[in-house]
Amino acid sequence: QGGRLHWLEDHCLLEYGTVKIIVIRNKAVGSVFRLIQFLIILYVIGYVCVVRKSYQVKDSVISTVTTKVKGTGFTNISGLGAHVWDVADYNIPPEGESSFFVLTNMIITPNQMQSSCPELPDQSTICMSDSDCTEGSSDVRGNGIQTGLCVNYSETVKTCEVLSWCPLEIDTDLPENPLLAAAENFTVLIKNTVTYPKFNFHKRNILPDVNSSYLKQCEFNRITDPHCPIFRLKDMVAEAEEDFQTMATRGGVLGILIDWSCDLDFPEHYCGPKYSFCRMDNKNPENNVAPGYNFRFAKYYKTTDDVETRTLIKSYGIRFDVIVFGTAGKFNIVPTIVNVGAALTILGLVNAVCDWFLLKCTKRKELYQKHKFDYLDETNLKDGESVSELPVYLLYQINVTKMYHG
Amino acid sequence: QGGRLHWLEDHCLLEYGTVKIIVIRNKAVGSVFRLIQFLIILYVIGYVCVVRKSYQVKDSVISTVTTKVKGTGFTNISGLGAHVWDVADYNIPPEGESSFFVLTNMIITPNQMQSSCPELPDQSTICMSDSDCTEGSSDVRGNGIQTGLCVNYSETVKTCEVLSWCPLEIDTDLPENPLLAAAENFTVLIKNTVTYPKFNFHKRNILPDVNSSYLKQCEFNRITDPHCPIFRLKDMVAEAEEDFQTMATRGGVLGILIDWSCDLDFPEHYCGPKYSFCRMDNKNPENNVAPGYNFRFAKYYKTTDDVETRTLIKSYGIRFDVIVFGTAGKFNIVPTIVNVGAALTILGLVNAVCDWFLLKCTKRKELYQKHKFDYLDETNLKDGESVSELPVYLLYQINVTKMYHG
Amino acid sequence: QGGRLHWLEDHCLLEYGTVKIIVIRNKAVGSVFRLIQFLIILYVIGYVCVVRKSYQVKDSVISTVTTKVKGTGFTNISGLGAHVWDVADYNIPPEGESSFFVLTNMIITPNQMQSSCPELPDQSTICMSDSDCTEGSSDVRGNGIQTGLCVNYSETVKTCEVLSWCPLEIDTDLPENPLLAAAENFTVLIKNTVTYPKFNFHKRNILPDVNSSYLKQCEFNRITDPHCPIFRLKDMVAEAEEDFQTMATRGGVLGILIDWSCDLDFPEHYCGPKYSFCRMDNKNPENNVAPGYNFRFAKYYKTTDDVETRTLIKSYGIRFDVIVFGTAGKFNIVPTIVNVGAALTILGLVNAVCDWFLLKCTKRKELYQKHKFDYLDETNLKDGESVSELPVYLLYQINVTKMYHG
């Protein structure tokens, strides 16, 4: 056993093999070599270290958002009368999650009841007699189940009668100006807590240097109040380069993007939220089926006779989606070694390029080839014979062999 | 200074070191070498370039979804009478977000009031006398707070009385066929706008070549209308290989997957949505606690005496989750260099393999070893002495040394 | 053509170039070389294979969550009377999605009607006469639209009158103990189905070895019942190191994290959900604007005179966000080759380090340099001349050249 260990020590631990180098004093090749080396080191520093920050471990953000809208609006719609709207009325869903909707325009159809009434006139619903209507049929684009009767819709038009919530909603006369125009002055408080679990980093968008009295009266402004988490709806829409009143008429979707990308090698207070705003739906007027954003909901009541009635509201408004994203990085020795090491191995490719240049493009290429290559010809060589220095041919093969020796 | 610059120029910029190569004319080794080289280049092209598209920068999709369901259904439930259901009734939540629910089956308990009534009979609630009931106790699986009395549930069974919304819901007699069977013909319009911020690429699922009149009457069909964004509920469920009526009875969750993966090196119009559908919950009948999908909600009313009543609805139905995903890539010079370069360095490993083959498996291995290695023996060598060409032993060490010279 | 093929065969397929090696018997260099090699191989095995599992293809989880809360609570609020709360009352939104809210505390303002009443007293609303109030003005932090009148709020204070839902909510007297303290014993059933599409892997958190009778009565406990998908609210809050009653008073957000990270090289039953819980919002008492979590919603009624009234509820409670995450990996030959190959190329850097050590730090460095380098001096060399063995200078350049020969 001792002998074996000794043998191992002799041949395995004591020896070191290093490649034999031919140093060539050639200004052109030397310059090309240094230039490429320089470029690669520049890339390693520039791309790997500065742009990609490959010396860092990364983590993705985990985020919680709560929102709270404030403000009151006033409408005076014929049939409904004067009405003050507060947050419980116009903020749907009420839960204050990361996506919230502010009602700005609406078509209200009060006092609907389950009964039968003439369908809205339309190519497929206009009828001359009962035979044009089919009892029990229901068009997916219609408003109810046909009773089979043909009744007067107006003095001139007859349509098929349907079982439905009557009277039917007439959704063609949407107010041209948003009823709740005052919504542009509503504000929203966005509370956002983020966590980078790998770094045990927790922070919220209400920064530590902001005090309560400031928060009671501040309002976000990119220049004067960049850390205030209270946003006026109009300002957000304006930052997305839209007009609030135009957008409010037919509705839309606005993204509130909060970017928490951080370099945690810097002190913690450099890591803060960066807000941006953009319209998420398409406002393109051409090819615009069902433009904007709207949905229908109803409030249900019971009359004194225990009959269910409802108020149907086709509500137009702006849906605000709070989208939190970001990646944090922090120095760590493992990815540093891995990435810088991997990048440096590319330096090996430099030699392939320079060898090609040296053996193909220089005047003395034959001389260089002669010194670089020793030929061991199997067909005419015997054991113990000395290496024959064969004449050198400019072979495609040699260059290829060189290419990948790096 | 001039001298130093000159010195640098002499030794740093003018010189180029290249390794000394022993070229061996051996058919076997040559073939193995070329074969492995070929395989690696194939891998670089095939995997790095074609499969992974490593020459591209990537970006993840940011997406907004709005949905709108259309259609009316009709039910005739005993106690409730004929009732037409429209979107405001069966679509919950009404907001038209990326997840929406269509009610298909239900258990309705109308006219509930805060009062006391016998608990539903069950192992823990059946009682013989008041002493079996505990005033104020509340079982998490029960329906209310016990009053401490034991009252008749039916003529034969007595149960503990509870304070609750009475009468209690009896949720065992779920209709075997979905009440709102007509829901299979409802349609949903899905509007989806995606953004790849890195490439400033915006597109929506309503493609530019689709006009308004087409959209008013089209319906998605994988063969005839693959670009229509209006989907019939039945078709979506069928694509997920489920039966609508079966799924509608107990409810379920259906995923609408929209894949926006794009190669932006191709013209923009090749980048479009690819729809697929799959059932997201488990329909496995074995081990099926609380199968399907249902939840309870209530509509609140007030009687003329100002007493609050409610209609409790245990609603079964299909929740549709629109899931948008995808990655886009575009050619960029930086990742191209990085990835192709890194892949090519693997070519260096070829030499390790071939050296091992050459020095271990060929007949003339000793000859090759003699020419490949020059031994510099430290113990018996003096400065200026010539290199002793030691006899070559087939050593494990040599192979290892070779392995990593690449 | 035959000739060309023959030529190719001769020079391309039959030849193999291998680098000439100088083997140095030096204990120090040999040891350093082996040590670094050992470290790198350790890294390849340790980091690449064990930590990163780079031999696997990865996939991200696609998940569906449904939730169902159970339990009843009892309150006896002055003005509202005894009231039993069931899931339809306190669970908002009712849909059973991955985020659900349990009401625990509230300020109820019943019988609000559209009318006018004095604004709540506050710096900006207290007035002496009508001239202090502006008709039509509306403060974003106020409760309505000013009528322009200054009226008695109490016997001593006068405030501007506003059009609003009156009487106004007085939200300063929040009960110090949560009204629905019983909520801590409510339970929630979480059904979670996950899919790893690349591996066609589907699983749910209700494991196959769990039977229905067990599920009817079990409750999650990290030690005794780690696979039960039914969670008591109090236990979840306790696991997040919070006190339920404290958190319930002002509300908060609790994250239910389900980790599905799996190594699919192991049998499927090793892949299961790992639950953890943490508070997502900030409970920090300092700098705490609008602490906790609350929102307002209203129930709308109509009186017999067809006037709309509402009950406004400012509801405090705990929002539970179910967050599902995870990555699965499975062995695949392609990433194995790629990553192990790439890692091994770093071995080439070892030689750079050892060459530097050998030629710079050893006693016999000049001897080694002499044997390692052959100098081809362009300026005084003619074709056919023998290589001049130039005296070796210890040059910075040599080391640099060495550095990157690997």
Side-chain angles (χ1 to χ4, degrees):
Chain A
Q1 252 196 351
R4 195 167 184 182
L5 199 73
H6 186 73
W7 180 91
L8 252 176
E9 223 171 69
D10 261 17
H11 296 109
C12 197
L13 294 176
L14 299 186
E15 290 190 357
Y16 169 66
T18 184
V19 294
K20 174 121 187 153
I21 303 291
I22 312 288
V23 178
I24 290 163
R25 296 243 160 93
N26 180 308
K27 211 169 186 167
V29 175
S31 311
V32 169
F33 179 64
R34 293 289 163 214
L35 183 70
I36 302 180
Q37 259 192 347
F38 175 75
L39 287 177
I40 288 183
I41 288 167
L42 207 75
Y43 146 74
V44 169
I45 294 168
Y47 185 71
V48 175
C49 296
V50 179
V51 179
R52 279 277 172 99
K53 297 196 170 152
S54 299
Y55 57 86
Q56 296 185 327
V57 260
K58 308 281 183 189
D59 197 8
S60 286
V61 74
I62 290 183
S63 148
T64 306
V65 173
T66 64
T67 56
K68 194 164 214 175
V69 185
K70 274 200 175 159
T72 42
F74 177 80
T75 60
N76 200 342
I77 308 168
S78 66
L80 194 78
H83 195 101
V84 171
W85 295 78
D86 73 359
V87 64
D89 298 329
Y90 62 71
N91 186 21
I92 306 157
E95 287 93 30
E97 296 186 342
S98 63
S99 181
F100 62 96
F101 171 83
V102 173
L103 183 72
T104 52
N105 207 359
M106 70 203 97
I107 296 166
I108 298 182
T109 316
N111 296 319
Q112 285 190 326
M113 249 179 257
Q114 291 276 335
S115 55
S116 59
C117 47
E119 179 61 283
L120 301 178
D122 165 309
Q123 261 184 323
S124 63
T125 58
I126 291 176
C127 57
M128 304 306 289
S129 71
D130 293 356
S131 60
D132 294 339
C133 305
T134 321
E135 196 186 333
S137 87
S138 153
D139 181 25
V140 80
R141 284 169 184 79
N143 290 295
I145 317 294
Q146 294 194 5
T147 59
L149 301 178
C150 185
V151 294
N152 285 332
Y153 175 77
S154 64
E155 282 183 20
T156 52
V157 179
K158 287 180 110 181
T159 59
C160 291
E161 195 190 48
V162 287
L163 275 177
S164 186
W165 287 98
C166 292
L168 296 179
E169 175 193 86
I170 296 158
D171 71 349
T172 46
D173 51 351
L174 175 70
E176 269 180 46
N177 295 311
L179 291 175
L180 217 64
E184 67 179 22
N185 287 320
F186 294 173
T187 58
V188 60
L189 163 65
I190 297 177
K191 288 199 281 177
N192 176 213
T193 313
V194 295
T195 302
Y196 285 110
K198 266 188 204 164
F199 309 126
N200 197 23
F201 177 89
H202 305 271
K203 199 159 184 181
R204 45 185 206 143
N205 66 335
I206 303 176
L207 300 175
D209 56 326
V210 162
N211 62 33
S212 301
S213 62
Y214 171 71
L215 277 172
K216 282 221 172 75
Q217 48 79 29
C218 77
E219 205 163 275
F220 177 82
N221 181 301
R222 201 165 284 285
I223 293 140
T224 59
D225 296 83
H227 298 315
C228 179
I230 299 170
F231 301 85
R232 190 174 289 265
L233 300 196
K234 189 187 186 177
D235 293 347
M236 291 197 288
V237 174
E239 284 242 10
E241 293 176 0
E242 299 285 333
D243 175 58
F244 189 90
Q245 296 300 332
T246 312
M247 194 168 170
T249 308
R250 306 205 66 106
V253 183
L254 195 93
I256 302 172
L257 307 168
I258 308 184
D259 183 0
W260 277 96
S261 297
C262 283
D263 185 339
L264 295 180
D265 292 331
F266 289 95
E268 193 178 304
H269 71 267
Y270 284 109
C271 181
K274 280 174 279 301
Y275 302 100
S276 60
F277 308 91
C278 73
R279 184 161 184 174
M280 303 295 279
D281 65 325
N282 193 288
K283 57 164 183 169
N284 211 345
E286 100 232 352
N287 175 20
N288 223 350
V289 187
Y293 182 66
N294 64 71
F295 58 87
R296 284 180 183 85
F297 73 96
K299 293 182 196 168
Y300 296 87
Y301 309 101
K302 266 190 184 166
T303 64
T304 45
D305 319 328
D306 210 36
V307 176
E308 195 172 29
T309 70
R310 71 174 196 186
T311 297
L312 178 68
I313 300 166
K314 182 169 184 181
S315 50
Y316 294 79
I318 303 177
R319 192 175 88 197
F320 294 87
D321 290 350
V322 182
I323 299 166
V324 180
F325 63 100
T327 323
K330 202 170 193 172
F331 173 79
N332 187 295
I333 190 69
V334 176
T336 309
I337 294 175
V338 176
N339 285 294
V340 172
L344 286 180
T345 57
I346 298 179
L347 279 172
L349 293 174
V350 183
N351 284 62
V353 175
C354 289
D355 281 353
W356 179 84
F357 184 77
L358 183 77
L359 300 168
K360 188 100 190 194
C361 305
T362 53
K363 262 197 299 186
R364 291 166 188 249
K365 54 195 173 191
E366 300 201 358
L367 170 72
Y368 297 142
Q369 284 165 21
K370 190 169 143 192
H371 287 291
K372 187 167 168 64
F373 300 109
D374 277 353
Y375 283 83
L376 257 185
D377 205 332
E378 191 164 76
T379 48
N380 55 13
L381 202 77
K382 296 280 169 286
D383 282 17
E385 231 177 286
S386 75
V387 179
S388 64
E389 302 233 347
L390 297 171
V392 175
Y393 302 97
L394 187 59
L395 299 173
Y396 169 71
Q397 179 271 336
I398 293 177
N399 298 320
V400 170
T401 311
K402 289 315 89 230
M403 282 290 289
Y404 305 108
H405 263 288
Chain B
Q1 255 196 347
R4 194 166 186 183
L5 200 72
H6 187 72
W7 181 91
L8 251 176
E9 222 170 70
D10 261 15
H11 296 108
C12 198
L13 294 175
L14 299 185
E15 288 189 356
Y16 168 65
T18 183
V19 293
K20 174 121 186 154
I21 303 292
I22 312 289
V23 178
I24 290 164
R25 296 242 159 94
N26 179 307
K27 210 167 187 170
V29 175
S31 311
V32 169
F33 180 63
R34 291 292 162 213
L35 183 70
I36 302 179
Q37 258 191 349
F38 175 76
L39 287 177
I40 288 182
I41 289 168
L42 208 74
Y43 146 73
V44 170
I45 295 170
Y47 185 72
V48 177
C49 296
V50 179
V51 179
R52 278 279 171 97
K53 296 197 171 153
S54 300
Y55 57 86
Q56 295 186 327
V57 260
K58 308 282 184 189
D59 197 9
S60 285
V61 73
I62 290 182
S63 149
T64 307
V65 173
T66 64
T67 56
K68 194 166 214 175
V69 186
K70 273 201 175 161
T72 42
F74 177 80
T75 60
N76 199 342
I77 307 168
S78 65
L80 195 78
H83 195 101
V84 172
W85 296 78
D86 72 359
V87 63
D89 298 327
Y90 63 71
N91 186 21
I92 308 156
E95 288 94 31
E97 296 186 342
S98 63
S99 182
F100 61 96
F101 171 82
V102 173
L103 182 73
T104 53
N105 207 0
M106 70 202 94
I107 295 167
I108 298 183
T109 315
N111 297 318
Q112 285 191 326
M113 250 179 258
Q114 292 275 336
S115 55
S116 60
C117 46
E119 178 62 282
L120 299 180
D122 162 312
Q123 263 185 321
S124 64
T125 58
I126 290 177
C127 58
M128 304 307 288
S129 70
D130 292 356
S131 62
D132 295 338
C133 304
T134 323
E135 196 185 335
S137 87
S138 153
D139 181 27
V140 80
R141 283 168 184 83
N143 290 296
I145 315 294
Q146 295 194 5
T147 58
L149 302 179
C150 185
V151 295
N152 286 331
Y153 176 76
S154 64
E155 282 182 20
T156 53
V157 179
K158 285 179 113 181
T159 59
C160 292
E161 196 191 45
V162 287
L163 275 176
S164 184
W165 287 98
C166 292
L168 295 179
E169 176 193 84
I170 297 158
D171 71 349
T172 47
D173 51 349
L174 176 70
E176 271 180 44
N177 295 309
L179 291 173
L180 219 64
E184 67 179 24
N185 288 320
F186 293 174
T187 59
V188 59
L189 164 66
I190 297 176
K191 290 200 279 177
N192 176 214
T193 313
V194 295
T195 302
Y196 285 109
K198 266 189 206 164
F199 309 126
N200 197 24
F201 177 89
H202 305 271
K203 199 159 184 181
R204 46 183 204 145
N205 66 335
I206 303 176
L207 301 175
D209 56 327
V210 162
N211 62 34
S212 301
S213 62
Y214 171 72
L215 278 171
K216 280 223 173 74
Q217 47 82 28
C218 79
E219 205 163 274
F220 178 80
N221 180 301
R222 203 163 281 287
I223 294 141
T224 59
D225 295 81
H227 298 315
C228 178
I230 299 170
F231 301 84
R232 189 175 289 263
L233 301 195
K234 188 188 187 176
D235 293 347
M236 291 197 288
V237 175
E239 284 241 10
E241 294 177 357
E242 298 286 333
D243 175 56
F244 189 90
Q245 296 300 331
T246 312
M247 194 168 171
T249 307
R250 305 204 69 105
V253 182
L254 195 93
I256 303 172
L257 308 167
I258 309 184
D259 183 2
W260 278 95
S261 296
C262 282
D263 185 339
L264 295 179
D265 292 330
F266 290 94
E268 193 179 303
H269 72 268
Y270 284 108
C271 180
K274 280 173 282 298
Y275 302 100
S276 61
F277 308 92
C278 73
R279 185 161 184 176
M280 303 296 279
D281 65 325
N282 193 288
K283 56 162 184 170
N284 212 346
E286 100 232 352
N287 175 21
N288 223 348
V289 188
Y293 182 66
N294 64 72
F295 59 86
R296 284 180 182 86
F297 74 96
K299 293 182 198 168
Y300 296 87
Y301 308 102
K302 264 190 185 167
T303 64
T304 44
D305 317 329
D306 210 37
V307 176
E308 195 173 29
T309 71
R310 72 174 195 186
T311 298
L312 178 67
I313 299 167
K314 182 169 184 182
S315 50
Y316 294 80
I318 304 176
R319 192 177 87 198
F320 295 85
D321 289 350
V322 182
I323 300 165
V324 180
F325 62 101
T327 325
K330 204 170 191 172
F331 173 79
N332 188 294
I333 190 67
V334 176
T336 308
I337 293 174
V338 176
N339 286 293
V340 173
L344 286 181
T345 56
I346 298 181
L347 280 171
L349 294 175
V350 183
N351 284 62
V353 176
C354 289
D355 280 354
W356 180 86
F357 185 77
L358 184 77
L359 300 170
K360 187 102 190 192
C361 304
T362 53
K363 263 195 299 186
R364 292 165 186 247
K365 52 196 175 191
E366 299 201 358
L367 171 70
Y368 297 143
Q369 284 165 18
K370 189 169 144 192
H371 287 292
K372 186 167 168 67
F373 301 108
D374 277 355
Y375 284 83
L376 255 184
D377 205 334
E378 192 163 76
T379 49
N380 55 13
L381 203 76
K382 297 277 171 292
D383 281 18
E385 231 177 285
S386 75
V387 179
S388 64
E389 304 233 345
L390 296 169
V392 175
Y393 302 96
L394 187 57
L395 299 173
Y396 168 71
Q397 180 271 336
I398 293 177
N399 298 320
V400 170
T401 312
K402 288 320 86 229
M403 282 290 289
Y404 305 109
H405 262 290
Chain C
Q1 254 196 347
R4 193 166 185 184
L5 200 71
H6 187 73
W7 181 92
L8 251 176
E9 224 171 67
D10 262 15
H11 296 108
C12 197
L13 294 177
L14 299 186
E15 290 190 357
Y16 169 66
T18 182
V19 294
K20 174 120 186 155
I21 303 293
I22 312 288
V23 178
I24 290 165
R25 296 243 159 95
N26 180 307
K27 213 168 183 169
V29 175
S31 310
V32 169
F33 180 62
R34 292 292 162 212
L35 183 70
I36 302 180
Q37 259 191 349
F38 175 75
L39 287 177
I40 288 183
I41 289 169
L42 207 74
Y43 146 72
V44 169
I45 295 169
Y47 185 72
V48 176
C49 296
V50 178
V51 179
R52 279 278 171 98
K53 295 197 173 154
S54 299
Y55 57 87
Q56 296 186 326
V57 260
K58 307 281 184 192
D59 198 9
S60 285
V61 73
I62 290 182
S63 148
T64 307
V65 173
T66 64
T67 55
K68 195 167 212 174
V69 185
K70 274 201 175 158
T72 43
F74 176 81
T75 60
N76 199 343
I77 308 168
S78 65
L80 194 78
H83 194 100
V84 172
W85 296 78
D86 72 359
V87 62
D89 298 326
Y90 63 70
N91 186 21
I92 306 157
E95 287 94 31
E97 296 186 342
S98 63
S99 181
F100 63 95
F101 171 82
V102 173
L103 182 73
T104 53
N105 208 359
M106 70 202 96
I107 295 167
I108 298 183
T109 316
N111 297 316
Q112 285 191 324
M113 248 179 262
Q114 292 277 335
S115 54
S116 60
C117 46
E119 180 60 283
L120 301 179
D122 163 314
Q123 263 184 322
S124 64
T125 58
I126 291 176
C127 57
M128 304 307 288
S129 71
D130 293 356
S131 61
D132 295 339
C133 304
T134 323
E135 196 185 334
S137 87
S138 153
D139 180 24
V140 80
R141 284 168 185 82
N143 291 294
I145 315 294
Q146 294 194 6
T147 59
L149 302 179
C150 186
V151 294
N152 286 332
Y153 175 77
S154 64
E155 283 183 20
T156 52
V157 178
K158 285 180 112 183
T159 59
C160 292
E161 194 189 48
V162 286
L163 272 177
S164 184
W165 285 98
C166 291
L168 295 180
E169 177 193 85
I170 298 157
D171 69 350
T172 46
D173 50 351
L174 174 70
E176 270 181 45
N177 294 309
L179 292 174
L180 219 63
E184 67 179 23
N185 287 320
F186 294 173
T187 60
V188 59
L189 163 66
I190 298 177
K191 290 199 281 176
N192 175 215
T193 313
V194 295
T195 302
Y196 286 109
K198 266 189 204 163
F199 309 127
N200 197 26
F201 177 89
H202 306 273
K203 199 159 183 180
R204 44 183 206 145
N205 66 335
I206 304 176
L207 301 176
D209 57 327
V210 162
N211 62 34
S212 303
S213 62
Y214 172 71
L215 279 172
K216 282 222 172 75
Q217 48 80 29
C218 77
E219 205 163 273
F220 177 81
N221 180 302
R222 202 164 280 285
I223 293 140
T224 59
D225 295 81
H227 297 315
C228 179
I230 298 170
F231 302 83
R232 189 175 289 265
L233 301 196
K234 189 189 187 175
D235 294 347
M236 291 196 290
V237 175
E239 284 242 9
E241 293 176 359
E242 298 287 333
D243 175 57
F244 189 90
Q245 296 299 333
T246 312
M247 193 168 171
T249 308
R250 305 203 69 104
V253 182
L254 195 92
I256 302 172
L257 307 167
I258 308 184
D259 183 0
W260 278 95
S261 297
C262 283
D263 185 338
L264 295 179
D265 292 331
F266 289 95
E268 193 178 304
H269 71 267
Y270 285 109
C271 180
K274 279 175 281 299
Y275 302 100
S276 60
F277 308 91
C278 73
R279 183 158 185 178
M280 304 295 280
D281 64 324
N282 194 287
K283 56 164 182 170
N284 212 345
E286 99 232 353
N287 174 21
N288 222 350
V289 188
Y293 182 66
N294 64 71
F295 58 87
R296 285 181 181 84
F297 73 96
K299 293 182 197 168
Y300 296 87
Y301 308 102
K302 265 189 184 167
T303 64
T304 45
D305 318 329
D306 211 38
V307 176
E308 197 173 27
T309 71
R310 73 174 193 184
T311 298
L312 178 67
I313 299 167
K314 182 168 184 182
S315 48
Y316 294 79
I318 304 177
R319 192 177 87 197
F320 295 85
D321 289 351
V322 183
I323 300 166
V324 180
F325 62 100
T327 324
K330 203 170 191 171
F331 173 79
N332 188 295
I333 189 70
V334 175
T336 309
I337 294 175
V338 176
N339 285 294
V340 173
L344 286 181
T345 56
I346 298 179
L347 279 173
L349 294 175
V350 184
N351 285 62
V353 175
C354 289
D355 280 353
W356 178 86
F357 185 77
L358 184 77
L359 300 168
K360 188 101 189 193
C361 304
T362 54
K363 263 197 299 190
R364 294 166 185 247
K365 53 196 175 191
E366 299 202 358
L367 170 72
Y368 298 141
Q369 284 166 19
K370 189 169 145 194
H371 287 292
K372 186 166 167 68
F373 301 108
D374 278 353
Y375 285 83
L376 259 184
D377 205 332
E378 193 163 73
T379 48
N380 55 12
L381 204 76
K382 296 278 170 292
D383 283 16
E385 231 178 286
S386 75
V387 178
S388 64
E389 303 233 347
L390 295 171
V392 174
Y393 302 97
L394 187 59
L395 299 174
Y396 169 72
Q397 179 270 335
I398 293 178
N399 298 318
V400 171
T401 313
K402 288 316 89 229
M403 280 292 288
Y404 305 109
H405 262 288

